[in-house]
Amino acid sequence: MAFVVTENCIKCKFTDCVDVCPVDCFHVGPNFLVIDPDECIDCTLCEPECPANAIFSEDEVPEGQEIFIQLNADLAKQWPVITEVQKPLPEAEEWNGKEGKIEFLER
Ligand code: SF4
Ligand code: F3S
């Protein structure tokens, strides 16, 4: 089991999550973060830190977002680790909560 970053992170990327992860398992892409399921120790610390409520335990991923479980695993292999909080994307507040953001995922 691992935690999973889901759709509402896209185009927000608040990065508060990376500050609390004890095992540095977040990886960063242009407009989205993912969790490496092989590194995540299920500590739960990141979940309440996300202002976009985008992080879920693998068994609690909302209906329709199951694709993000595999996406986290795949993109974690391609993207570099992120350990320091960064500024959110410029339009993060505007995009927070919008649906259908997966089409804007940049790789
Ligand atoms: Fe890191 Fe813990 Fe979140 Fe897993 S659950 S990504 S180990 S903070
Ligand atoms: Fe994304 Fe939330 Fe982290 S928006 S970068 S999962 S704090």
Side-chain angles (χ1 to χ4, degrees):
M1 198 71 70
F3 277 66
V4 176
V5 185
T6 62
E7 184 169 39
N8 204 30
C9 176
I10 296 169
K11 286 179 91 64
C12 290
K13 213 167 96 169
F14 286 105
T15 74
D16 302 62
C17 52
V18 306
D19 206 27
V20 296
C21 183
V23 291
D24 296 345
C25 56
F26 283 91
H27 292 246
V28 60
N31 65 1
F32 185 52
L33 257 64
V34 293
I35 291 169
D36 184 343
D38 294 334
E39 299 293 331
C40 177
I41 57 169
D42 247 344
C43 73
T44 78
L45 290 176
C46 57
E47 186 179 6
E49 294 302 316
C50 175
N53 295 319
I55 304 176
F56 295 89
S57 171
E58 191 178 325
D59 58 358
E60 291 177 351
V61 167
E63 209 181 321
Q65 299 215 27
E66 297 85 353
I67 189 178
F68 282 92
I69 298 171
Q70 192 61 47
L71 264 178
N72 275 242
D74 292 346
L75 295 173
K77 303 263 177 294
Q78 299 171 27
W79 288 349
V81 169
I82 172 173
T83 56
E84 309 256 317
V85 174
Q86 299 176 353
K87 274 195 189 156
L89 291 175
E91 295 176 340
E93 294 299 344
E94 211 171 293
W95 282 94
N96 189 356
K98 290 236 164 83
E99 289 182 10
K101 289 198 278 181
I102 192 164
E103 66 175 294
F104 300 112
L105 175 61
E106 294 172 32
R107 306 195 180 210

